[in-house]
Structure formats: C-alpha cells, structure tokens
Amino acid sequence: MSNVQRRDVLIGSALAAAAVAAAKPALAGDPSFMNNVPDPLLAADDLPTFKFALEKSEGKVIGESSGKEATVKQLPISKGIAGVSMRLEPGAMRELHWHATAAEWAFVIEGGVRTTVIDPQGRAETNEFEPGDIWYFPRGHGHMLQCLGSQPCHFILIFDNGYFSEFGTFSITDWIGHAPKTLLAKNFGVPAATFDSFPKTEVYFARGAIAPAQPAPPLQGVNLPPQTHKYRLLAQEPHGVYKGGREWRVDASRFPISTTVTGVILDLDPGALRELHWHPNADEWQYVIDGRVSVTLFGSHGRFRVETLEKGDVGYIPQGYGHSIEMLAIRLRAS
C-alpha cells in the first residue's frame, strides 16, 4: 500500500480453515501514530493481547438475527479498525442507517444479501450478494441490508475506525421515533396522525415477510451513482497462487469506490505459513472463518507474542509490527 489513507482487508482459508484480516493505517481512529505519540498500550514491556473471541461474545440478538462487534472496547489494541459479525434470519433487515465516522466494507460468508445505498446526491444503488462477494459504503452514505431467500445469511463488516460501534449508528426509526409529530408532519407534508403507529425506539433489525425476488423500483426512478458498491471477489481468479496457499486481493485499482479498505482472501493449506512480514502503512484486522491459525506479533526490543485463533476469533496487527500467520494441521482422531 502506498497511500497512507488506505486500510486493507485480508481473508484467508485452508481446506477446512479460513482467516479474515483487514488492515488500515492509523488515521481517523488512531491519530497518535501520525503525531509520533507513543501508544501506552504498545509501549509497555510486554505486548498486549491481539485476540478476541468475537463469536463467543454476547452482542445484540433480536429473534434469530444478531450482531457481534470487536472495537477498542472489546480489543483495546484495535484502534484503527472495528469489525462486526452479523447474521440475518429470513425476512429480516438491518434497517436504513448511516455512519458519520466510519466507512463500511463487508464480505459475505453464507446466504444471500440485498443492499440499497444512497449517496449524498440522492443517487441510489440496489445490489444482491452471494458468498464471496463484497460491498463498500463510504462514510455518511445511508444503506440497508436485507436477507434474501429462505435461508439465513452471515457476513463480516469492517469499519475503518476502531472506535466506531455498530450499535451507535444513525438509524431511521431512532430519528423518526424521537422527533415531534408536528415536525415530521411539516417535513413530509402529511398529517401528524400518520406517525401514530411508527416505532418509538430504534428497531435495528426489522423482521417480516421474506424479501421478494425482485426489489421494488425506486419511487423517483433509477438514478445510479457513478461507481458501483459491489465487487465479486471470489468470482475472480486468485491474485496469486503459491506453495501452500492462494490469495485473492482487491484494492481501489479493481474496486474504485473502496478508497479506505483493501481486502484479501488468504487460503492456506494445513501447515502452510504466510511468511514473516509487516505493513509500513496499514493495520491488519483478522477473522477466522474456519479452522485454527497461529499468529505471531513482533514489536522490537525482543517483544514477541503468539496467539492461536480459532473459528470465529479475530486478531489485530498494528501497522509496522512484524507478524506471520501459520495454518495449524488438522488433527484426526483414531476411531
């Protein structure tokens, strides 16, 4: 990465194992590095933990839909990037919302997802996603996420600010539910009684009938933005094929709207190693889709830490810190 205002996302797998990682330079979420101010957490004699058991955390659960997050609150080292594991049940929708302080990058693991995103000029795009697809929504762009079909969906969300919480977004029901009805009536040009049955608090996950096969047409007609928000990452040929692994990579050169995040799928064979390396201008956020990986972190002055990440765990590597990723061999039990 040559642009210090970029983040990266890495995703990797090995037979029955996979890891997701996103990397970002210290910027809006972590200005200390840019100002050459030592981070007390990283300046200690011992390196802090860089692992969090995301899928074992409580998160937010409504019905059979859930969102579990990893921010600096859950993983203090992760100041540059936050992440969420979200599952939607059939008929469920993450309601229309937006983020003022973070862009959103996503990777679909299971099921189908339909998204609609609206930019500040009122241009909108609706897309449908399958496993292996990604989306990117810039900061401040309103969007909704909807489960498609009769099976649940699961996707990983990456935010380019470690201090950002998915549970602190600007949701449309939260806004309308707390605005005076007289104000709403004047704003929308309808009687105040129109809002009598509207929710009084944030819905977050709206649950109802299974989404129709075809989305409803926009009320004002089709007005697409200049750049698409969708990219079919795993539908492409691997970026590189190596002894012991394969890599899919997508940055702004292939997905122009994704100006702050780069994504990588890393597919490792059992026992394979992503060799010792570092990112001079990007942090790395990791999510293990399946299997077990051993991740090392080197921080100078002999400081060295090894963590084992299992399915559903996340890891975080600060920019400039040496690290490696090793796929642990699968142990077979004799019958």
Side-chain angles (χ1 to χ4, degrees), residues 91 93 113-114 126 128 144 146-149 208-217:
M93 175 180 70
V113 185
R114 175 180 292 153
T126 295
E128 296 183 358
M144 74 84 184
Q146 188 174 24
C147 181
L148 286 181
I210 293 177
Q214 296 297 325

Side-chain angles (χ1 to χ4, degrees), residues 25 54 58 81 91 99 106 115 128 135-136 139 187 194 205 210 218 224 240 242 250 315 329:
L54 178 61
E58 183 175 352
I81 303 170
H99 325 129
T115 72
E128 296 183 358
W135 68 73
Y136 181 89
R139 297 185 181 198
N187 186 87
T194 303
F205 289 133
I210 293 177
L224 294 175
Y242 311 96
V250 56

Side-chain angles (χ1 to χ4, degrees), residues 171-184:
S171 297
I172 193 66
T173 56
D174 191 25
W175 192 0
I176 292 180
H178 290 89
K181 293 181 183 179
T182 54
L183 173 65
L184 295 173

Side-chain angles (χ1 to χ4, degrees), residues 183-218:
L183 173 65
L184 295 173
K186 185 175 183 179
N187 186 87
F188 293 103
V190 297
T194 303
F195 303 95
D196 287 348
S197 61
F198 273 52
K200 300 300 187 291
T201 58
E202 182 184 30
V203 172
Y204 195 81
F205 289 133
R207 301 159 67 206
I210 293 177
Q214 296 297 325

Side-chain angles (χ1 to χ4, degrees), residues 1 20 26 80 87 90 94 99 165 183 247 264 309:
M1 304 288 303
V20 177
R87 289 176 168 84
R94 174 67 176 95
H99 325 129
S165 172
L183 173 65
E247 178 185 284
V264 175
L309 275 59

Side-chain angles (χ1 to χ4, degrees), residues 33-151:
F33 190 97
M34 303 293 286
N35 296 330
N36 294 319
V37 178
D39 183 343
L41 192 66
L42 295 173
D45 292 338
D46 296 314
L47 292 174
T49 183
F50 57 89
K51 170 186 173 181
F52 177 66
L54 178 61
E55 297 295 357
K56 294 179 181 178
S57 63
E58 183 175 352
K60 180 190 290 286
V61 179
I62 301 176
E64 296 180 8
S65 299
S66 64
K68 301 180 179 182
E69 70 176 2
T71 71
V72 289
K73 182 177 180 180
Q74 293 80 19
L75 185 59
I77 194 175
S78 63
K79 295 181 178 181
I81 303 170
V84 169
S85 172
M86 184 168 290
R87 289 176 168 84
L88 297 178
E89 62 194 282
M93 175 180 70
R94 174 67 176 95
E95 67 165 314
L96 182 65
H97 65 284
W98 65 99
H99 325 129
T101 60
E104 175 178 304
W105 185 99
F107 175 78
V108 179
I109 297 177
E110 296 177 353
V113 185
R114 175 180 292 153
T115 72
T116 294
V117 56
I118 307 171
D119 72 10
Q121 288 73 42
R123 297 169 299 196
E125 182 182 34
T126 295
N127 286 309
E128 296 183 358
F129 297 80
E130 300 176 355
D133 296 344
I134 65 173
W135 68 73
Y136 181 89
F137 302 144
R139 297 185 181 198
H141 288 213
H143 56 281
M144 74 84 184
L145 318 171
Q146 188 174 24
C147 181
L148 286 181
S150 59
Q151 299 299 316

Side-chain angles (χ1 to χ4, degrees), residues 92 282 305:
R305 189 179 185 102

